[in-house]
Amino acid sequence: MIFLLVVLGVSQSFGFTSTTPKFHETSSSSLKSSSKNEIHVLSNEFSAALLKDYWGKRPVLIRKGFSLPQPAWPSWDLIEEIASYDEAESRLISHVPNDLSSFSLDLGPFRDFSSYLEEIDSRKRWTLVVNDVDRFQPTLTDWMDSTFDFIPRWRRDDAQVSLAPKDGGIGPHVDNYDVFLIQTSGKREWRIGYDSISIKHEFDSLIDEIPVRILKNWEDTSACSFTLEPGDVLYLPPRIPHCGTALTDECITLSVGCRAPSASELVQRVANELSLRVSDAATQRFQDHELLQEPGGSMELTADVKNKMKDLILEAVNEFLDDEAQYDKTIGELITEPKRSREEYPVPLDELDPETIQELGVWSIPHKAIEAVCSGSGSLYRSEGVSVTFSNVLVKEKMKHRLYMNGEMFELDGNDEDDAPVYNLLSSIVTSTPAVSSHVLLPIRHDQRILGLLETLLQNGLLYGSESD
């Protein structure tokens, strides 16, 4: 039986309602009867099983969720180095402690970070935030794939890492997605709201005229406070207000976030697809056959006109949604698109410089790379930070197997006799590390569909080969 602490009430800061913290021990069997205004504190190794009562519903803190050391976790020096890259997304957020209106934002790259810090107002405390760290550190990608294998790869976002000295933080805010906040070094205090807040509530509460989204008060939201130490992990469902403050120097927090399309994003994508669609429903225009039936017709925008236009919209949208093949393509491309701008990534093989091509050897030639995998000389790997999923869909009564990577669709024709090997390959590309090994590839090494797909993925830089396992 897992035992946990339940936290009631808390400390006062940033306008939080304050009560005396209370803790009591309860078992996991009592979770369903727990009060809404409770945040559970577990003490156990991190796992999907621990999250089943919390995922998408309520925060939970897992003490010592990860044993130490964790070699895959990035160091302070590595994050500073990544922050200096042109292709990295980094930002420096600074503020005067206890003054929420003082937050400022500087965008990277930061070539000489130490010198840059010397120019910051001495009253201010700072936090360096770097996104897509997993893209630059393959061992971190492997760790994330293994640790969060219960989350579909298209639902998982990047590894974001923040560095801060004592009193550094990015202020009270909300995120639109599920997030795991993992303390890897130093100590950080987190203040957490019990309830999610709406977009309107957030925008009504934002401090004006500063470049970051900071909540000015939580008067109507009680909150509790925790101190996280290395190995602790805090899970927050979407739109839970929270605020982290470094309690020590060399404070490092690793944030593993999720992604999910909003209704407006889905509608926008469907509308874009409809604008390109050649069909009667999509191109049908409003008509008013009754216009001349009544002399001196009304100049008013009538309910009848609006209802006819509504019917036009619904007919076109329903026709699109009923087209399973097109709808599958639209959703698959949308949910695997990169969330942040990534110039020249992944890099296609034909855009690599000659020196890199020479270093890669056989791995720079797709068909030779596949031969190397078949011979057991190495494996194929997903490019770090690339979202991926796959589907099987009927297109004109023919089965198609689709792989979606980085917002692109790759389609294979079905085989009426036996498509299990193809399914196994696509599943391996999406879920396994390495993505393609010899035991997966050997049974289908003569299938031209498979060879064509793998050569395309290698050529486009979405897969790469390596001798290391």
Side-chain angles (χ1 to χ4, degrees):
M1 180 177 292
I2 299 170
F3 285 92
L4 48 86
L5 294 175
V6 176
V7 184
L8 304 173
V10 304
S11 64
Q12 185 172 1
S13 183
F14 301 113
F16 300 169
T17 304
S18 174
T19 63
T20 303
K22 296 180 181 179
F23 301 84
H24 69 271
E25 193 171 48
T26 183
S27 69
S28 58
S29 61
S30 67
L31 294 182
K32 293 182 180 179
S33 62
S34 297
S35 166
K36 181 180 180 181
N37 286 342
E38 297 174 347
I39 293 180
H40 294 141
V41 182
L42 311 180
S43 182
N44 210 287
E45 183 178 359
F46 181 84
S47 69
L50 286 182
L51 295 168
K52 67 177 184 178
D53 291 309
Y54 304 97
W55 177 257
K57 302 173 186 174
R58 57 195 303 181
V60 62
L61 171 60
I62 304 173
R63 295 286 189 199
K64 302 186 184 303
F66 298 106
S67 59
L68 302 175
Q70 290 283 340
W73 289 354
S75 67
W76 185 286
D77 290 342
L78 177 62
I79 298 304
E80 280 196 18
E81 179 184 341
I82 295 174
S84 71
Y85 300 162
D86 286 332
E87 62 270 27
E89 181 176 299
S90 59
R91 57 197 184 276
L92 189 70
I93 300 171
S94 55
H95 75 292
V96 176
N98 301 317
D99 182 1
L100 294 181
S101 64
S102 66
F103 274 90
S104 61
L105 173 68
D106 295 281
L107 301 179
F110 302 100
R111 305 292 186 205
D112 187 344
F113 188 61
S114 298
S115 298
Y116 196 89
L117 292 179
E118 294 175 359
E119 301 177 7
I120 295 178
D121 187 331
S122 61
R123 298 172 302 160
K124 288 193 170 185
R125 297 297 176 264
W126 55 267
T127 296
L128 175 65
V129 180
V130 181
N131 283 96
D132 283 335
V133 174
D134 49 317
R135 178 154 65 96
F136 300 94
Q137 187 180 2
T139 54
L140 179 59
T141 297
D142 294 345
W143 178 83
M144 290 169 63
D145 287 343
S146 173
T147 303
F148 299 96
D149 60 358
F150 55 91
I151 301 175
R153 185 62 191 85
W154 68 266
R155 275 280 275 135
R156 201 183 77 217
D157 195 13
D158 68 329
Q160 175 186 282
V161 178
S162 61
L163 311 181
K166 188 177 185 297
D167 295 328
I170 63 173
H173 65 284
V174 295
D175 296 317
N176 289 323
Y177 313 99
D178 304 87
V179 64
F180 298 90
L181 301 166
I182 304 163
Q183 195 64 23
T184 69
S185 176
K187 296 182 180 181
R188 184 181 292 274
E189 179 187 48
W190 284 102
R191 293 183 174 88
I192 311 155
Y194 288 120
D195 300 317
S196 62
I197 65 173
S198 67
I199 291 284
K200 183 178 185 306
H201 185 163
E202 177 192 4
F203 276 81
D204 288 345
S205 303
L206 292 179
I207 296 177
D208 296 328
E209 298 180 354
I210 59 174
V212 288
R213 287 163 63 166
I214 302 295
L215 300 175
K216 58 188 172 187
N217 59 65
W218 292 358
E219 276 86 359
D220 55 351
T221 305
S222 60
C224 63
S225 174
F226 299 97
T227 296
L228 268 63
E229 300 185 2
D232 293 345
V233 54
L234 174 64
Y235 163 71
L236 298 178
R239 306 209 56 79
I240 294 289
H242 54 288
C243 178
T245 304
L247 299 180
T248 64
D249 288 333
E250 298 194 4
C251 177
I252 306 178
T253 300
L254 165 62
S255 302
V256 178
C258 293
R259 53 185 289 173
S262 68
S264 63
E265 289 169 337
L266 290 167
V267 169
Q268 183 179 30
R269 182 56 59 90
V270 169
N272 182 64
E273 294 294 334
L274 282 176
S275 71
L276 304 173
R277 194 173 176 87
V278 180
S279 73
D280 290 342
T283 58
Q284 178 67 37
R285 292 186 177 275
F286 169 79
Q287 294 183 354
D288 48 2
H289 297 295
E290 307 85 2
L291 178 64
L292 302 181
Q293 298 302 314
E294 295 184 13
S298 174
M299 298 295 118
E300 178 187 355
L301 175 60
T302 64
D304 181 60
V305 168
K306 290 185 286 187
N307 285 333
K308 285 182 178 179
M309 291 186 179
K310 182 187 297 184
D311 290 340
L312 277 178
I313 296 170
L314 293 175
E315 184 178 351
V317 170
N318 286 331
E319 180 194 62
F320 176 82
L321 297 180
D322 289 341
D323 184 343
E324 181 60 28
Q326 184 60 43
Y327 182 61
D328 177 90
K329 179 177 182 293
T330 300
I331 298 301
E333 291 176 344
L334 172 63
I335 65 176
T336 58
E337 283 180 348
K339 279 188 61 182
R340 283 163 292 280
S341 174
R342 296 171 174 172
E343 294 185 7
E344 301 179 355
Y345 185 84
V347 182
L349 287 175
D350 57 11
E351 294 183 15
L352 295 176
D353 60 77
E355 183 179 346
T356 302
I357 290 291
Q358 186 174 2
E359 290 177 357
L360 289 174
V362 298
W363 304 112
S364 68
I365 307 171
H367 75 272
K368 289 187 177 295
I370 294 170
E371 291 174 1
V373 173
C374 289
S375 68
S377 299
S379 300
L380 304 182
Y381 296 82
R382 290 181 302 277
S383 289
E384 286 73 21
V386 169
S387 290
V388 57
T389 190
F390 72 105
S391 69
N392 302 286
V393 61
L394 285 173
V395 180
K396 297 180 180 179
E397 301 184 353
K398 297 284 188 180
M399 180 58 69
K400 301 287 185 180
H401 307 290
R402 291 174 168 178
L403 176 70
Y404 296 98
M405 294 188 77
N406 212 43
E408 295 183 71
M409 183 187 79
F410 304 90
E411 187 175 78
L412 296 177
D413 293 331
N415 185 331
D416 294 334
E417 296 180 3
D418 181 16
D419 266 348
V422 175
Y423 180 90
N424 292 339
L425 173 73
L426 296 183
S427 178
S428 181
I429 290 175
V430 171
T431 64
S432 299
T433 302
V436 183
S437 57
S438 59
H439 80 272
V440 172
L441 187 54
L442 279 172
I444 48 178
R445 65 188 182 280
H446 299 303
D447 190 324
Q448 293 304 311
R449 298 174 302 166
I450 301 301
L451 297 180
L453 172 65
L454 293 179
E455 287 186 15
T456 299
L457 297 177
L458 286 164
Q459 186 62 47
N460 291 357
L462 295 168
L463 292 181
Y464 66 89
S466 175
E467 295 177 2
S468 58
D469 295 326

